[in-house]
């Protein structure tokens, strides 16, 4: 079936919600205004239960079907937070908060899930319970983990969980998904090389940390080219090179490198951490200095469950006519924490020919709203069909 007629009727209203969220972006766990509006709307829709403060500022709404004899409970998750980016769209509803904008479309995700919640509360044409999950701090804060750590899955007996993200460059309202590893694990490293600073005209009297760090930047690339199996996905990127002196004639005492590692398996993740430490420790010793290495594990690999992915794709096909095979994504997604707790699937919905996410000219495409809302609703009605 195509998009549900009810969402065509609701599109203008859902668009108003989305643009209001866009105009008032909130970062990480500071989604106080957004969370309050979400909770207020869920109450107004007639949800059976609305709970705030899950994972600090997360909101959970519970909607029971006309029957609940199946005992099935499905979770649907949207993220609410914005990014610390100065908006450059020039839109009439552009961000009113300097240095913050919805540059990843979480305003659209939140609005679409609210639209689905309104519809499901009105119709309740399913046998079971749906738990709508509105999560803060996806952009680096690990809000999904905090909601899980607060016992969300156990408290509401969630058995499966589904997520969605808009995707620029893909036709508006179309879908793409893949089973298994989908989004990468996202780790960070801090490396401080220490030597002996001194006058740049007397390098023989120093232990030059810039040479150590320069060697390390190049040597770390051999993790991908010479340590990892060529068929495995791994990215090692040094993104910051900061010396303790900015002078032209000083060899600095320390150099601080920062960077990120992206992997698609725990094997590659372990390899990257091990080799970064070995390479940098060795380089420091080779040049007579030391290396202090801190490796920070971030979001895990996001892995779609086989059965739920096949089901999610069939639902998508019923709405748009097809569901494409999605590419591997080396970006991270903290829905991974929820998929570690329960089986489920994460899907991409097309945002059309727009700027890419995390760009100051990005904007969520409101024309994707009916398809996104329909997918949420059909997940519930097809997975928990009414008798």
């Amino acid at each position: 079936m195509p998009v549900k007629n009810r969402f065509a009727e609701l599109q203008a209203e859902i668009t108003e919600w989305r643009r209001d969220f866009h105009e008032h972006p909130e970062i990480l766990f500071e989604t106080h205004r957004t969370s309050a509006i979400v909770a207020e709307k869920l109450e107004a829709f007639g949800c059976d239960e609305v709970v705030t403060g899950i994972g600090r500022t997360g909101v959970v709404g519970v909607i029971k079907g006309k029957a609940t004899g199946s005992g099935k409970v499905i979770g649907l998750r949207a993220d609410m937070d914005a990014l610390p980016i100065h908006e450059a769209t020039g839109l009439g509803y552009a961000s009113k908060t300097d240095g913050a904008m919805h540059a990843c479309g979480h305003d659209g995700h939140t609005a679409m899930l609210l639209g689905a919640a309104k519809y499901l509360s009105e119709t309740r044409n399913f046998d079971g319970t749906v738990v709508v999950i509105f999560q803060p701090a996806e952009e680096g804060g690990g809000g999904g983990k905090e909601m899980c750590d607060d016992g969300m899955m156990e408290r509401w007996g969630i058995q499966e969980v589904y997520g969605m993200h808009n995707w620029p460059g893909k036709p508006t309202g179309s879908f793409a998904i893949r089973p298994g590893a989908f989004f990468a694990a996202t780790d960070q490293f801090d490396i401080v090389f220490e030597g002996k600073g001194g006058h740049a005209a007397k390098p023989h009297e120093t232990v030059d940390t810039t040479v150590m760090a320069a060697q390390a930047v190049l040597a770390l690339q051999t993790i991908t080219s010479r340590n990892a199996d060529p068929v495995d996905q791994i990215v090692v990127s040094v993104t910051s090179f900061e010396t303790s002196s900015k002078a032209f004639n000083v060899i600095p005492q320390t150099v601080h490198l920062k960077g990120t590692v992206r992997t698609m398996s725990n094997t590659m993740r372990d390899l990257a951490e091990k080799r970064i430490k070995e390479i940098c420790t060795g380089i420091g010793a080779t040049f007579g200095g030391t290396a202090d290495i801190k490796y920070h594990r971030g979001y895990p690999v996001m892995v779609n469950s086989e059965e739920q992915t096949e089901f999610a794709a069939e639902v998508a096909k019923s709405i748009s006519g097809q569901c494409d095979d999605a590419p591997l994504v080396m970006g991270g997604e903290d829905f991974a924490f929820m998929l570690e707790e329960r089986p489920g699937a994460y899907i991409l919905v097309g945002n059309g020919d727009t700027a890419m996410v995390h760009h100051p000219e990005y904007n969520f495409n409101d024309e994707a709203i009916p398809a996104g809302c329909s997918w949420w609703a059909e997940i519930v009605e097809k997975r928990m069909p009414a008798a």
Side-chain angles (χ1 to χ4, degrees):
M1 63 173 289
V3 297
K4 290 182 177 292
N5 291 335
R6 181 61 174 139
F7 293 123
E9 296 168 1
L10 288 171
Q11 183 174 359
E13 183 179 7
I14 297 169
T15 297
E16 285 182 14
W17 303 341
R18 201 281 295 182
R19 295 185 178 186
D20 177 68
F21 293 140
H22 188 92
E23 201 169 353
H24 301 92
E26 296 172 301
I27 293 171
L28 292 171
F29 290 98
E30 301 302 313
T31 57
H32 303 292
R33 179 184 185 274
T34 307
S35 298
I37 291 171
V38 166
E40 179 184 341
K41 290 191 182 300
L42 294 177
E43 293 275 8
F45 298 160
C47 289
D48 297 283
E49 184 181 3
V50 178
V51 179
T52 59
I54 306 298
R56 298 199 228 178
T57 47
V59 182
V60 170
V62 179
I63 306 166
K64 296 184 181 297
K66 290 179 179 177
T68 57
S70 72
K72 293 180 180 178
V73 183
I74 286 178
L76 308 177
R77 172 271 202 177
D79 35 20
M80 300 185 290
D81 59 317
L83 281 158
I85 295 175
H86 184 77
E87 182 162 352
T89 62
L91 293 166
Y93 55 87
S95 170
K96 289 184 175 179
T97 303
D98 189 46
M101 76 168 285
H102 271 292
C104 204
H106 296 185
D107 49 346
H109 304 164
T110 297
M112 286 190 294
L113 187 53
L114 280 173
K118 181 179 177 71
Y119 167 84
L120 292 167
S121 296
E122 289 172 350
T123 58
R124 299 182 185 258
N125 189 34
F126 55 96
D127 182 356
T129 302
V130 60
V131 179
V132 288
I133 302 162
F134 295 86
Q135 179 209 305
E138 190 282 322
E139 296 289 356
K145 184 177 188 301
E146 295 222 10
M147 293 189 84
C148 290
D149 288 347
D150 270 359
M152 175 181 69
M153 298 296 185
E154 294 79 14
R155 179 170 176 177
W156 286 284
I158 297 170
Q159 298 162 355
E160 297 180 356
V161 64
Y162 295 86
M164 181 195 300
H165 203 293
N166 75 94
W167 208 248
K170 184 163 181 55
T172 307
S174 64
F175 294 92
I177 199 169
R178 67 180 298 124
F182 192 175
F183 279 58
T186 58
D187 299 338
Q188 298 174 342
F189 56 83
D190 283 277
I191 304 162
V192 178
F193 287 101
E194 182 157 8
K196 181 182 177 184
H199 200 295
K202 298 181 178 181
H204 60 290
E205 295 180 0
T206 73
V207 176
D208 194 338
T209 51
T210 58
V211 172
M212 295 180 211
Q215 292 283 342
V217 171
L218 295 176
L220 290 175
Q221 300 311 307
T222 65
I223 297 172
T224 300
S225 66
R226 287 298 176 266
N227 298 140
D229 188 320
V231 302
D232 287 320
Q233 290 79 24
I234 180 170
V235 176
V236 180
S237 294
V238 178
T239 56
S240 175
F241 191 116
E242 183 177 0
T243 63
S244 58
S245 170
K246 307 303 179 190
F248 287 96
N249 60 348
V250 174
I251 289 174
Q253 180 77 12
T254 62
V255 174
H256 184 188
L257 302 182
K258 295 180 182 179
T260 186
V261 176
R262 306 299 172 99
T263 53
M264 280 291 180
S265 71
N266 288 330
T267 300
M268 285 296 101
R269 203 176 194 186
D270 292 341
L271 172 69
E273 180 174 3
K274 176 175 178 287
R275 290 300 291 143
I276 286 173
K277 291 177 178 178
E278 290 172 346
I279 289 169
C280 293
T281 299
I283 287 173
T286 297
F287 290 95
T290 61
D292 179 59
I293 304 113
K294 291 183 172 61
Y295 192 93
H296 314 280
R297 294 212 173 198
Y299 297 169
V301 180
M302 190 190 75
V303 181
N304 272 348
S305 307
E306 294 279 344
E307 179 191 346
Q308 284 73 21
T309 299
E310 183 178 350
F311 168 69
E314 289 303 316
V315 170
K317 289 175 186 176
S318 73
I319 295 164
S320 68
Q322 68 180 70
C323 184
D324 297 330
D325 293 330
L328 287 170
V329 179
M330 298 310 286
E333 170 54 67
D334 87 337
F335 188 62
F337 290 112
M338 296 189 188
L339 289 177
E340 285 190 333
E341 297 259 342
R342 295 293 186 272
Y346 190 79
I347 200 166
L348 307 179
V349 60
N351 203 59
D353 185 18
T354 66
M356 295 304 293
V357 295
H358 292 222
H359 189 280
E361 294 182 358
Y362 166 85
N363 187 35
F364 179 83
N365 186 348
D366 294 316
E367 294 306 309
I369 285 172
C373 291
S374 294
W375 186 81
W376 289 124
E378 284 291 286
I379 285 287
V380 173
E381 292 181 348
K382 288 191 173 180
R383 200 63 166 168
M384 303 187 293

